Amino acid sequence: MAQVEATTERIVAADAETVFDALADYSGTREKLLPEHFSEYEVREGGDGEGTLVHWKLQATSKRVRDCLLEVSEPTDGELVEKDRNSSMVTTWRVTPAGEGKSRVVMTTTWTGAGGIGGFFEKTFAPKGLGRIYDAMLVKLASEVEK
């Protein structure tokens, strides 16, 4: 079994604090940012960053649906980490200043992939698919905070 990683990033025309606050707002803004691949969104505890427990289903392909129950932490300034209680999946959001009134948002998701030939295909194709899903989310984030 190999570690699988998907990363995407975007420059957003809003300051880092505004962008981070939007990402960390699970009880408000976050649900608006999710593309059609996400369903059954529910905040179960908290709702604003550290200490939040949030549930959703992520349909990465027509056959693959992950039931995610995520614990949110903020290990450092500008960093939001979502650890799935149901799998090895961990998504890290990093928001840093990128010039006057701009921010760089980098999203990285890692998980332990399958073994054998299935693992080969997962490691080869899953990062691209997940990257497209999170790219769509970053487009919505930019649209939300650049108002």
Side-chain angles (χ1 to χ4, degrees):
M1 292 194 286
Q3 185 81 353
V4 182
E5 180 176 303
T7 300
T8 190
E9 68 178 80
R10 182 178 182 92
I11 300 295
V12 177
D15 66 84
E17 185 177 345
T18 299
V19 174
F20 184 83
D21 288 349
L23 283 171
D25 180 17
Y26 291 89
S27 61
T29 308
R30 180 57 87 93
E31 187 173 11
K32 293 188 245 176
L33 306 179
L34 300 177
E36 67 277 2
H37 300 88
F38 293 84
S39 64
E40 298 183 30
Y41 184 90
E42 176 188 18
V43 175
R44 295 193 177 167
E45 293 175 17
D48 185 21
E50 179 85 31
T52 295
L53 183 65
V54 63
H55 171 268
W56 60 61
K57 288 192 176 178
L58 171 59
Q59 184 158 1
T61 68
S62 60
K63 296 179 182 175
R64 179 74 169 136
V65 178
R66 281 185 182 261
D67 188 351
C68 303
L69 183 59
L70 303 146
E71 296 177 345
V72 179
S73 64
E74 294 181 30
T76 61
D77 282 351
E79 187 176 64
L80 203 57
V81 177
E82 302 167 345
K83 290 185 180 176
D84 187 9
R85 286 186 180 175
N86 298 332
S87 73
S88 61
M89 190 170 70
V90 177
T91 298
T92 303
W93 299 88
R94 287 187 184 85
V95 181
T96 55
E100 187 66 33
K102 294 183 180 177
S103 307
R104 176 181 309 279
V105 183
V106 179
M107 183 284 318
T108 303
T109 297
T110 60
W111 68 95
T112 304
I117 191 74
F120 168 78
F121 284 105
E122 180 179 22
K123 191 171 179 86
T124 303
F125 298 108
K128 291 180 181 98
L130 197 57
R132 281 191 297 274
I133 291 168
Y134 280 104
D135 280 341
M137 189 172 170
L138 290 178
V139 166
K140 287 184 171 202
L141 172 66
S143 171
E144 184 70 25
V145 299
E146 291 176 356
K147 291 178 179 176

